[in-house]
Structure formats: C-alpha cells, structure tokens
Amino acid sequence: MTLAAPVNLAAKDAAVSMTQAAPYVRPDVAAYLRASSAQPLPPLTAETIAQIRKLPPSAMPSRDLPVGNLAVDRKFEMPGPGGAMALRVFDVRADRGPGPVVVFYHGGGFVLGSVETHAALAAEISRQLDLPVVSVEYRLAPEHPWPAAPDDGEAAARWIAGNGKALGLGVTGLVLSGDSAGGNLTLIVAAALRDKPAAVPVIMQLPIYPAADFVNEYPSLRQFGTGYGLDDSVTVYFRQHYAADPKSLRTSPLLGDLAGLPPTVLVTAGLDPLRDQGRAYAGKLIAAGVPTTYYEGKGLVHGFATFRKDIPSAQVDTLNFLKLARTTLDEIEAERK
C-alpha cells in the first residue's frame, strides 16, 4: 500500500478557491448570461407578481424553442384540493395503446411559470420518450403558499393514475417529471405514492435540476448564487412567498428515507446553485439501493432545458438526458413483462 504525502490544507483550499473562481462556462451560456444581466428581473414583490399574472402568455418573451409538431395538444380540467385544476396533454402520437404516462410539473420557484411557459419542454419529452405527457397547472404562491403546490402535485398524479379514460389514455404506470420547483414536486410526489400507492405504480422519476433540501447549505449555493442566472436575490423572494416549512419532507425530500423509490434519472447543471442538492439526492438514492442514472450538463446554468433558443447547445444535453430516460424505461418495461 502506498501512503500519500501530507497535504498542505491551506494550499489545497487556495487551489479549490481558484478553481471555483473560474468554472467552465460554455460560450453560448456566457452570451446568455451577458444578455440576461443587461435586463435583470424586477424585485418579485407580491405586487409585481400580480402584474405578471395579468399578462397574456404571448406577452412573456420565450427563451425556449417552439413547441413544434404534435399529434395531440389538448386541455382538460380535473377536481383539485383548491378547486378545478388545468391539465394539458401533449402526445407525439394520435393513437396509442395502454402504457405509461408522464406527469410533468413546471418550474418557476413555486411563484412563476405555467403549463404554457413549459409547453416546449413537455412536448420534447413526449417526442423523445414516445409517451403522452400530462402537464399540471398547480397553484402558485404568494396567493397559494405551501403546501398548496405539493397538495396539487400529489392530487394530480393520483387523479391521472385513476382517470385515464377521461384523458383518452390507457394509463398503466406513471413517470413523474418536472424541472426546478417542478423537480422538487416530482421527488415529493414519488415518495407520497411510494408510501400510499395510486391506482397504477410510479415506474420512474425524472427530476430536472430539482430543489431537494431547504435546510442545509451546499457549496454550489455560494459558488453560483450570483451571476449565473438563478441569483440569491431572486430565490429569497421565491422562498419568502412560498413560505414552506423547510424541515418538512414535503419541502425537503432529501431529508427523508429514499429506499423503495422508483428508478430515477436525475439531471443537474454544472453552474447551478442547486447542483449539489441534486448530487446529494442522487448519491442517497444509490446508497438506498435505488437504480439511479445521473446526468450533469457541464458548463450549463439552471433552467437550461427551457432556454434552448437562447442557449442552443442546451438542446444537445436535453436530448442526451431524455435518451437516458428512454433507455431506463426500456429496461423497466422489459422487466415488467
């Protein structure tokens, strides 16, 4: 056995600091960040959010690719804990037999975002997984603080599992997915349906740069909290409006027991303040014996899967992690037969 020489900890810390000071940033990401810094978001006060709510979807500039061609793009309603909830079904096929259905939760810090803002990503998931995607319009803060979002997320998954006929779908299993805040809901709903199963099983989860832990500090929060798109100044407003109990497992799913969760494909971005939460969650899944595939978009920022027009290289990574998800589904479906 070879013993390593003693490490100069001060020199090591300085080297790490130098590395963190200049992380790899893709050229198109750098251009995106420069353009974004020239037009910063206004403070997300309750008044500002109320004004944003009044704007039609067409008034909000899109940073993503077009929705593209689909065989099915239909809107539905379902009964929810706080009243009627909107659903939107995307499907690359006009007709298909019974099979899994993707339940998708959009991102936006539990304050912004909608089925409309994330339509292009939902459509891409349908194309690449060759599955129908049901996108969920859950309630948002500050009008509807925590736990409205996880309540709606769980209710939607349970309703879709048991009401495929109303959607024109033969639902045999659920794939839970979402980005950012929607990734957080993905993790929370997967645990809820593990503990109290729905009408059909959750066969896979696909959280995309999820928030997983509202309690603990992680190095990436400090390293990328300013100047990389998802700034601390914005997340402070998100947390304030969402008003969640950080220690609840319906806020911080990383704090819970992860054994028995479905096979997972977990995605992070290399320049994301939430990156290390995703890494920690993936590591805990593996330790718990859950089949897990981890994909990190090197040199990419939080939100990249919905910035594919402004960050063209992000489309390659989006296709990459969806290919991994499709491969995982093929393996799962082969084992179920």
Side-chain angles (χ1 to χ4, degrees):
M1 180 174 65
T2 301
L3 298 178
V7 176
N8 183 326
L9 294 180
K12 183 178 179 181
D13 287 345
V16 170
S17 178
M18 288 177 65
T19 300
Q20 291 180 343
Y24 170 69
V25 182
R26 299 182 187 189
D28 55 357
V29 170
Y32 165 78
L33 291 173
R34 286 193 297 271
S36 296
S37 66
Q39 295 182 317
L41 283 173
L44 292 175
T45 63
E47 292 75 19
T48 303
I49 293 166
Q51 293 175 355
I52 292 173
R53 298 268 194 270
K54 296 176 183 177
L55 295 173
S58 59
M60 301 295 289
S62 174
R63 293 172 286 187
D64 206 356
L65 297 173
V67 172
N69 294 324
L70 289 166
V72 176
D73 185 350
R74 292 198 302 263
K75 296 180 180 180
F76 294 85
E77 279 194 348
M78 59 161 279
M85 289 173 57
L87 305 174
R88 186 170 168 183
V89 178
F90 302 85
D91 200 342
V92 69
R93 296 195 191 196
D95 298 294
R96 66 170 69 241
V101 171
V102 179
V103 180
F104 180 79
Y105 306 106
H106 68 78
F110 306 101
V111 170
L112 302 175
S114 68
V115 166
E116 300 294 332
T117 61
H118 286 61
L121 177 54
E124 191 72 88
I125 292 172
S126 178
R127 276 190 288 269
Q128 299 306 320
L129 299 191
D130 190 17
L131 292 177
V133 175
V134 183
S135 189
V136 177
E137 197 76 272
Y138 57 90
R139 287 173 291 171
L140 299 175
E143 300 93 332
H144 304 286
W146 182 90
D151 284 351
D152 286 0
E154 182 178 347
R158 293 189 183 280
W159 189 88
I160 293 163
N163 292 272
K165 188 175 180 180
L167 298 169
L169 299 171
V171 183
T172 63
L174 301 181
V175 175
L176 302 180
S177 185
D179 68 311
S180 190
N184 174 266
L185 296 181
T186 297
L187 305 180
I188 291 167
V189 175
L193 271 59
R194 172 200 61 188
D195 297 340
K196 185 180 178 183
V200 298
V202 178
I203 63 170
M204 191 181 83
Q205 61 173 344
L206 173 58
I208 305 166
Y209 31 80
D213 184 356
F214 282 58
V215 174
N216 296 297
E217 290 284 331
Y218 294 86
S220 61
L221 288 170
R222 297 187 297 274
Q223 187 176 3
F224 305 117
T226 302
Y228 293 91
L230 183 63
D231 285 3
D232 293 339
S233 59
V234 174
T235 55
V236 163
Y237 281 105
F238 287 160
R239 284 197 171 208
Q240 180 184 50
H241 294 314
Y242 192 42
D245 174 2
K247 295 181 180 179
S248 170
L249 299 185
R250 301 183 80 227
T251 306
S252 298
L254 178 59
L255 305 183
D257 179 9
L258 306 190
L261 285 170
T264 301
V265 177
L266 191 144
V267 181
T268 62
L271 306 176
D272 186 355
L274 302 185
R275 181 196 67 193
D276 292 350
Q277 297 181 35
R279 288 180 175 180
Y281 190 92
K284 191 171 179 180
L285 281 175
I286 293 167
V290 177
T292 303
T293 301
Y294 176 76
Y295 183 90
E296 184 164 297
K298 185 179 179 182
L300 284 172
V301 292
H302 185 85
F304 71 80
T306 54
F307 300 162
R308 293 172 294 158
K309 181 178 72 175
D310 287 4
I311 305 177
S313 69
Q315 171 66 352
V316 175
D317 293 83
T318 302
L319 295 179
N320 285 344
F321 74 69
L322 290 175
K323 287 176 184 175
L324 291 172
R326 182 63 258 180
T327 298
T328 301
L329 280 171
D330 290 341
E331 295 171 352
I332 292 166
E333 290 172 348
E335 291 176 359
R336 295 179 76 193
K337 290 179 180 179

